[in-house]
């Protein structure tokens, strides 16, 4: 039987690690345009095809962006968070799974909202009160998502803001309310950042955001809460596996 072994690291992977080191050490600065491909390949002592392969990986990971006819630009010192969307995990768990420290800033006090569309999604009667609040999620202290949470008052404990609003809502419902979230009806689309949202996320106005909007259901198929997350494009992206 032929031996099965681990192949040596490819030249493109070595080039990726080298360029990341140069970015992390500010040799290649954020916002800086990189040299033309042949000149950069010569500097790194690799072939142009190897460099192109490395640049493709770096763009997928969110370190650079390549603009046709303009050039290649450094946009981040940290890799983009990537995750499958088919499994229902909290945003907190998704980020932690990729070895980032998750944080929450900018939590607002819950306030009464009369959004009839969301009240309808949550099947609330006229007497039930719907609350909403905002929070900004961070990965290694860098904002990556602005959450807008809509949750009926009956599910919000008196210590919710002080003890739970900065972490996973799914975990809160499970531990404090004994409600297990079983599924979500989810929409994923793009939206341009308003001036206010851009300021909160540290991006420019009108920058495209990924929007993940979900209504969460219990194992009895009762709608429990609704969330809308505005996600920065160069920090997190989702992938979906589709099969026939």
């Amino acid at each position: 039987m032929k031996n099965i072994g681990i192949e040596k690291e490819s030249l493109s992977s070595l080039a990726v690690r080298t360029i990341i080191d140069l970015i992390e050490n500010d040799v290649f600065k954020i916002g800086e345009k990189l040299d033309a491909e042949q000149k950069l390949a010569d500097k790194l002592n690799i072939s142009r095809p190897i460099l192109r392969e490395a640049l493709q990986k770096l763009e997928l990971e969110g370190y650079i962006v390549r603009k046709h006819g303009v050039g290649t630009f450094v946009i981040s010192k940290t890799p983009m968070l990537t995750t499958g969307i088919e499994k229902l995990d909290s945003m907190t768990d998704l980020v932690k799974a990729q070895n980032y420290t998750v944080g929450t800033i900018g939590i607002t006090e819950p306030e009464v909202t009369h959004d009839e569309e969301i009240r309808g999604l949550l099947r609330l009667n006229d007497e039930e009160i719907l609350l909403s609040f905002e929070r900004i999620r961070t990965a290694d202290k860098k904002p990556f998502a602005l959450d807008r949470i809509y949750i009926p008052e009956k599910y919000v404990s008196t210590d919710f803001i002080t003890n739970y609003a900065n972490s996973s809502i799914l975990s809160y419902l499970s531990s404090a309310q004994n409600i297990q979230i079983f599924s979500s009806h989810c929409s994923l689309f793009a939206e341009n950042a308003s001036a206010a949202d851009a300021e909160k996320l540290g991006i420019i106005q009108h920058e495209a955001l990924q929007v993940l909007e979900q209504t969460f259901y219990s194992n009895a198929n009762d709608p429990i809460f609704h969330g809308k997350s505005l996600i920065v494009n160069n920090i997190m992206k989702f992938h979906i596996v589709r099969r026939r």
Side-chain angles (χ1 to χ4, degrees):
M1 179 179 176
K2 185 178 179 180
N3 289 335
I4 300 175
I6 299 174
E7 294 183 1
K8 292 182 178 179
E9 188 171 17
S10 68
L11 286 175
S12 64
S13 295
L14 286 169
V16 167
R17 287 203 298 112
T18 299
I19 294 172
I20 289 174
D21 286 344
L22 292 169
I23 292 172
E24 289 178 343
N25 289 292
D26 287 328
V27 178
F28 296 157
K29 294 179 172 60
I30 292 176
E32 181 179 318
K33 180 180 177 181
L34 297 182
D35 288 333
E37 285 185 359
Q38 189 58 62
K39 186 175 181 180
L40 183 57
D42 291 341
K43 283 184 176 180
L44 297 173
N45 197 28
I46 56 175
S47 69
R48 192 170 177 181
I50 292 296
L51 175 65
R52 283 181 175 172
E53 187 178 340
L55 293 177
Q56 183 178 32
K57 291 178 182 177
L58 289 163
E59 186 169 35
L60 287 171
E61 291 183 16
Y63 287 99
I64 64 169
V65 63
R66 291 183 291 177
K67 299 180 180 180
H68 183 69
V70 180
T72 301
F73 296 84
V74 178
I75 59 171
S76 178
K77 286 187 177 185
T78 55
M80 185 181 291
L81 298 166
T82 60
T83 182
I85 200 173
E86 62 278 357
K87 186 174 184 292
L88 181 56
D89 286 319
S90 71
M91 195 74 75
T92 301
D93 292 336
L94 291 174
V95 177
K96 282 183 177 179
Q98 299 184 60
N99 297 317
Y100 286 85
T101 300
V102 186
T104 305
I105 57 176
I107 302 173
T108 62
E109 286 288 335
E111 59 182 27
V112 177
T113 179
H114 301 284
D115 190 305
E116 291 303 320
E117 182 179 357
I118 295 175
R119 289 184 63 87
L121 289 171
L122 297 176
R123 303 176 199 160
L124 299 180
N125 61 42
D126 292 342
E127 289 73 36
E128 291 180 295
I129 295 173
L130 179 63
L131 300 177
S132 68
F133 70 96
E134 284 188 1
R135 62 184 187 175
I136 299 165
R137 309 311 306 277
T138 63
D140 288 349
K141 300 183 179 181
K142 185 172 185 178
F144 73 89
L146 171 61
D147 288 345
R148 293 194 172 101
I149 307 295
Y150 301 84
I151 185 168
E153 185 183 44
K154 62 186 176 183
Y155 299 135
V156 178
S157 61
T158 56
D159 63 343
F160 175 75
I161 287 294
T162 55
N163 293 335
Y164 298 104
N166 63 346
S167 58
S168 165
I169 305 299
L170 303 189
S171 296
Y172 158 74
L173 289 167
S174 175
S175 62
Q177 299 289 344
N178 198 29
I179 297 172
Q180 307 302 321
I181 297 300
F182 182 73
S183 64
S184 77
H185 292 183
C186 171
S187 297
L188 183 62
F189 54 96
E191 185 176 290
N192 291 331
S194 66
D197 291 345
E199 184 177 0
K200 293 171 185 175
L201 290 167
I203 58 176
I204 61 173
Q205 185 179 358
H206 304 310
E207 183 172 324
L209 296 168
Q210 300 173 87
V211 181
L212 183 62
E213 191 162 11
Q214 305 179 81
T215 303
F216 295 85
Y217 293 81
S218 69
N219 53 7
N221 203 35
D222 295 322
I224 304 300
F225 78 102
H226 185 84
K228 181 177 181 180
S229 296
L230 285 69
I231 302 166
V232 179
N233 266 315
N234 66 353
I235 294 181
M236 173 174 272
K237 68 178 179 179
F238 298 98
H239 64 260
I240 302 172
V241 178
R242 303 177 68 207
R243 295 187 177 91
R244 296 188 65 178

